[in-house]
Amino acid sequence: MSFTGPSIGSGGRREAHEFGRTHVVRPKGRHQATVVWLHGLGDNGSSWSHLLETLPLPNIKWICPTAPTRPITLFGGFPATAWFDVGELSEDAPDDVEGLEAAAAHVANLLSIEPADIKLGIGGFSMDAATSLYSATCFIHGKYENGDLYHANLSAVVGLSGWLPCSKNLKAKIERHDEVARRVASLPILLCHGKGDDVVPYKFGEKSALALSSNGFENMTFKSYDGLGHYTIPEEMEEVYTWLTSKLGLDSR
């Protein structure tokens, strides 16, 4: 989580991981926005594509990629689909920066072929809310940790039941020149978290929201849900629908 602990970079050469199948939900109406939605640990793009297809958002094209299958330290090295490695779910656990960078680059590449007049967004659940938020910091910074430019022009970021990776480095990452300050103040971010979450505790979502707001993210919204565990509910998805419609300027249903 790295609210207080270190981050791990690419100190050694790692094995490259192959991304799985990408599922696409085509817009049923006028195409106004494209959102890459990322699944959680051990899941795949198909499951979320079926849920997203039911939302009354006919103007969004949903891209639901599948993460690589990789050994997961949290599982004792047992392989699972994951965008990055997770050692433990604690506040001082180190972040797998190399894995996060690869995931953010994959998402940006998926968005790079969209038409210029289409608004772009990223969303995710659990550890992949973390990937979405990491992508947001790359967009704000204009580049990845390794110095490569980040090309996707994001208009909305959604994170459900997740956390902000590398949060302790956020202040240093968002250098205060005019363009970065403009992006920080204007990028719409929606965070939602259940107070009954026993997988990614509610305090991680709460602290992530605090880290963002205290660093100038004025267009960030944090929603909490009493009794909600590590899953989503219609009330939460209704919030996502309403928020995306507003922030992306979509035609109303």
Side-chain angles (χ1 to χ4, degrees):
M1 307 299 174
S2 191
F3 291 108
T4 57
S7 298
I8 12 181
S10 51
R13 187 184 181 92
R14 290 190 182 180
E15 179 186 355
H17 297 284
E18 183 178 350
F19 292 94
R21 180 182 174 187
T22 296
H23 300 261
V24 177
V25 179
R26 303 287 177 184
K28 298 179 179 67
R30 182 167 67 97
H31 184 194
Q32 294 179 280
T34 296
V35 177
V36 172
W37 192 274
L38 304 172
H39 63 77
L41 178 60
D43 203 353
N44 59 65
S46 175
S47 61
W48 273 98
S49 70
H50 293 310
L51 173 60
L52 295 169
E53 194 170 17
T54 67
L55 295 183
L57 290 167
N59 306 109
I60 291 183
K61 172 185 175 181
W62 299 98
I63 301 177
C64 303
T66 299
T69 298
R70 67 177 78 218
I72 302 298
T73 303
L74 183 66
F75 296 163
F78 190 83
T81 51
W83 299 101
F84 55 91
D85 190 22
V86 179
E88 59 177 312
L89 295 177
S90 67
E91 291 188 47
D92 57 354
D95 295 295
D96 175 16
V97 175
E98 184 175 305
L100 285 161
E101 295 256 296
H106 183 64
V107 170
N109 287 338
L110 291 172
L111 291 171
S112 67
I113 60 175
E114 293 301 298
D117 61 336
I118 297 301
K119 293 184 178 179
L120 307 177
I122 301 175
F125 175 80
S126 190
M127 73 178 300
D128 306 304
T131 305
S132 299
L133 291 173
Y134 187 82
S135 295
T137 64
C138 293
F139 164 69
I140 294 296
H141 194 40
K143 56 187 176 182
Y144 301 96
E145 199 73 24
N146 65 8
D148 291 347
L149 295 180
Y150 185 88
H151 293 293
N153 184 23
L154 300 181
S155 295
V157 178
V158 180
L160 309 181
S161 305
W163 69 91
L164 173 66
C166 309
S167 59
K168 71 182 184 66
N169 300 328
L170 182 60
K171 187 172 184 179
K173 194 170 186 178
I174 52 177
E175 303 164 343
R176 289 296 177 176
H177 58 73
D178 290 345
E179 179 59 21
V180 170
R182 183 193 67 77
R183 290 179 177 180
V184 167
S186 63
L187 178 63
I189 298 177
L190 173 65
L191 301 183
C192 300
H193 216 112
K195 292 186 176 181
D197 195 329
D198 59 355
V199 177
V200 179
Y202 173 75
K203 65 180 179 180
F204 292 162
E206 193 173 41
K207 288 187 176 183
S208 297
L210 179 60
L212 290 169
S213 61
S214 63
N215 279 283
F217 286 80
E218 300 173 6
N219 205 0
M220 189 274 301
T221 301
F222 181 58
K223 294 287 185 178
S224 60
Y225 300 86
D226 291 334
L228 177 62
H230 198 64
Y231 48 87
T232 188
I233 54 175
E235 179 187 354
E236 185 180 42
M237 295 313 295
E238 178 71 18
E239 183 66 41
V240 171
Y241 153 76
T242 302
W243 187 86
L244 284 174
T245 299
S246 171
K247 298 302 181 181
L248 294 176
L250 303 178
D251 297 339
S252 60
R253 57 181 156 185

